[in-house]
């Protein structure tokens, strides 16, 4: 707002002698604006928006009781945030204050749904608001994948993840390809559990190639199951996050949820199942074709992997790499490619991936 105009300010307020305007938005948020000294070249009015909450504890949960999260608003959005008692005050330009308001509105919705706002949730939400706007964040937060009545829904944290979730809902075969930490496996497991809960499939099959990532599998102690268990651990971890322990045990004992090496898929026809092939970059071309042709009636398959992390011997070609190129334009198959912007692990992971990409790019030239 320029030239001291008050046209956009909420009605019913008043200007003080110090050049401050106080009023209320319809939502009940207190608004204060400072009018700069007449004669200033810009004479911009800088709004201050105060968001009020039910108590101080709830307000602080919105930024995980972490002052550095509030400081990041100033770094990323140019909005100074101050929290006291049951309110959060925002100072900045009108556009940026509005973005910050939308950020806290979405985080409030997330918190009320039963999902805690941790530092990473705050960081991801802030990144979406900064680059895509408040409406994009609202759409992410409101689209929850419900895996169990006693678990909060799983929410996509980036637009790339949301595209992946939508692809899995709309296609019978979906490829999720990209760097580590982008949620490829986690979201696939969430969609599988949601489908089982809704009754659209009758079982879940999770599989991985049992490839020795630099270690000799035959020299590991134990029988075959004990040897392959470490390779399947990430799938177990995702299931434990989304299902109560007793439910997971019940489904495993009944065979409703099956976790097995890829080699065990040969010769089977899988009807009414949600099948996830994880770490698919370590499948051979023969194994990938075998897996894709297991799909029966009423089934979905999701194939995840990172083409830069192939652990196969040098003379063996990756089935994921071949399928990515061969099936790219096949109707009914979705190919979702993630980038480093979709990484939802520690912030350093994004920087590590970028540094390696730059280093390897230079090495090739």
């Amino acid at each position: 707002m320029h030239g001291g105009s008050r046209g956009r300010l909420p009605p019913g307020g008043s200007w003080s002698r110090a050049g401050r305007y106080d009023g209320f938005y319809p939502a009940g948020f207190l608004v204060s604006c400072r009018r700069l000294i007449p004669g200033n070249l810009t004479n911009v009015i800088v709004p201050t928006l105060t968001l009020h909450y039910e108590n101080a504890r709830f307000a602080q949960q919105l930024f995980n009781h972490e002052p550095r999260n509030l400081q990041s608003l100033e770094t990323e959005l140019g909005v100074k945030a101050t929290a006291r008692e049951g309110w959060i005050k925002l100072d900045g330009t009108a556009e940026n204050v509005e973005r910050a308001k939308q950020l806290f509105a979405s985080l409030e919705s997330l918190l009320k749904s039963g999902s805690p706002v941790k530092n990473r949730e705050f960081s991801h939400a802030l990144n979406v608001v900064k680059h895509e706007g408040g409406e994009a964040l609202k759409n992410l937060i409101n689209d929850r994948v419900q895996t169990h009545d006693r678990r909060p829904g799983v929410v996509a944290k980036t637009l790339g993840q949301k595209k992946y979730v939508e692809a899995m809902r709309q296609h019978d075969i979906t490829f999720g390809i990209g760097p580590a930490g982008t949620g490829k496996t986690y979201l696939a497991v969430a969609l599988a559990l949601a489908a089982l809960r809704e009754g659209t499939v009758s079982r879940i099959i999770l599989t991985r190639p049992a490839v020795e990532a630099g270690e000799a599998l035959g020299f590991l102690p134990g029988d075959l199951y004990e040897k392959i268990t470490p390779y399947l651990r990430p799938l177990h971890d995702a299931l434990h996050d989304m299902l109560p322990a007793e439910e997971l045990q019940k489904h495993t004992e009944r065979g409703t949820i099956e976790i097995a090496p890829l080699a065990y898929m040969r010769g089977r026809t899988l009807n009414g199942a949600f099948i996830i092939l994880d770490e698919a970059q370590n499948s051979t071309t023969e194994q990938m074709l075998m897996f894709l042709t297991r799909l029966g009636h009423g089934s979905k398959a999701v194939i995840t992997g990172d083409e830069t992390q192939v652990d196969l011997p040098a003379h063996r070609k990756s089935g994921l790499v071949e399928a990515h190129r061969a099936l790219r334009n096949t109707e009914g198959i979705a190919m979702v490619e993630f980038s480093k912007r979709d990484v939802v692990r520690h912030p350093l992971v994004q920087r590590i991936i970028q540094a390696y990409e730059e280093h390897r790019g230079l090495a090739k030239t």
Side-chain angles (χ1 to χ4, degrees):
M1 194 178 301
H2 299 275
S5 169
R6 306 176 193 180
R8 297 183 189 174
L9 294 173
S14 60
W15 287 96
S16 69
R17 290 183 179 179
R20 191 180 189 91
Y21 182 93
D22 291 313
F24 287 87
Y25 278 132
F29 296 134
L30 173 65
V31 175
S32 299
C33 296
R34 295 184 184 86
R35 180 172 50 190
L36 301 187
I37 301 169
N40 185 293
L41 290 176
T42 56
N43 201 25
V44 177
I45 297 175
V46 180
T48 297
L49 179 64
T50 303
L51 311 178
H52 293 271
Y53 300 98
E54 52 199 64
N55 54 54
R57 182 171 175 271
F58 185 87
Q60 292 182 11
Q61 285 177 328
L62 292 172
F63 56 92
N64 196 31
H65 306 269
E66 178 55 75
R68 283 180 297 183
N69 286 332
L70 292 183
Q71 291 167 9
S72 66
L73 279 173
E74 188 162 13
T75 304
E76 301 298 327
L77 291 183
V79 174
K80 182 179 180 182
T82 309
R84 295 283 189 279
E85 301 299 329
W87 52 262
I88 299 173
K89 186 175 72 172
L90 307 171
D91 283 284
T93 65
E95 180 183 357
N96 290 341
V97 165
E98 178 63 22
R99 285 186 179 234
K101 184 186 85 169
Q102 292 173 326
L103 168 68
F104 283 110
S106 292
L107 292 175
E108 181 180 6
S109 174
L110 184 65
L111 195 59
K112 287 182 174 178
S113 74
S115 299
V117 177
K118 299 179 182 178
N119 289 347
R120 64 179 182 179
E121 277 75 25
F122 189 95
S123 176
H124 297 320
L126 177 57
N127 188 56
V128 172
V129 163
K130 177 182 178 182
H131 294 288
E132 311 295 340
E135 193 62 28
L137 177 61
K138 181 180 176 181
N139 291 337
L140 285 181
I141 297 292
N142 289 339
D143 185 8
R144 297 182 180 88
V145 180
Q146 201 66 45
T147 61
H148 192 272
D149 293 338
R150 302 208 308 267
R151 288 286 189 270
V154 175
V155 176
K157 294 180 173 63
T158 69
L159 294 186
Q161 286 192 348
K162 182 170 175 59
K163 179 182 176 183
Y164 181 51
V165 168
E166 290 172 347
M168 287 188 284
R169 285 172 174 158
Q170 296 168 11
H171 296 81
D172 287 340
I173 296 180
T174 301
F175 284 79
I177 302 170
T182 50
K184 301 182 297 294
T185 303
Y186 197 85
L187 288 171
V189 171
L191 265 291
L193 289 172
L196 185 65
R197 178 174 177 266
E198 294 161 5
T200 56
V201 299
S202 58
R203 56 179 169 159
I204 296 171
I205 299 172
L206 310 173
T207 185
R208 268 186 164 197
V211 172
E212 310 97 275
E215 299 190 25
L217 186 63
F219 288 98
L220 292 174
D223 58 23
L224 176 62
Y225 181 78
E226 290 170 327
K227 290 176 188 291
I228 65 173
T229 293
Y231 295 96
L232 304 175
R233 176 53 57 188
L235 299 172
H236 282 282
D237 291 343
L239 288 169
H240 278 286
D241 272 1
M242 300 177 206
L243 280 183
E246 66 275 12
E247 287 285 321
L248 179 55
Q249 183 178 355
K250 180 180 71 175
H251 284 307
T252 304
E253 289 173 353
R254 292 178 178 175
T256 312
I257 296 179
E258 177 186 346
I259 304 178
L262 178 58
Y264 284 24
M265 297 297 106
R266 190 175 299 279
R268 301 174 67 180
T269 299
L270 304 171
N271 295 315
F274 198 118
I275 316 144
I276 299 172
L277 171 56
D278 192 34
E279 294 289 324
Q281 74 275 5
N282 289 325
S283 66
T284 64
T285 54
E286 296 83 5
Q287 286 176 325
M288 177 61 76
L289 181 58
M290 177 273 293
F291 173 81
L292 291 171
T293 54
R294 299 308 93 199
L295 197 68
H297 295 290
S299 290
K300 280 181 176 285
V302 178
I303 300 96
T304 72
D306 178 356
E307 294 179 351
T308 69
Q309 300 290 322
V310 178
D311 295 317
L312 293 168
H315 65 280
R316 303 301 297 271
K317 291 183 179 180
S318 167
L320 178 64
V321 173
E322 182 184 53
H324 189 187
R325 285 145 184 75
L327 303 176
R328 183 185 296 274
N329 299 315
T330 303
E331 186 179 354
I333 296 178
M335 293 279 179
V336 180
E337 299 175 4
F338 292 89
S339 71
K340 56 182 175 287
R341 281 188 62 178
D342 296 305
V343 172
V344 292
R345 288 181 183 167
H346 192 288
L348 270 176
V349 175
Q350 276 192 9
R351 283 175 253 165
I352 289 169
I353 291 170
Q354 182 173 355
Y356 266 87
E357 285 178 351
E358 291 173 355
H359 169 75
R360 288 172 174 172
L362 290 172
K364 291 176 183 177
T365 58

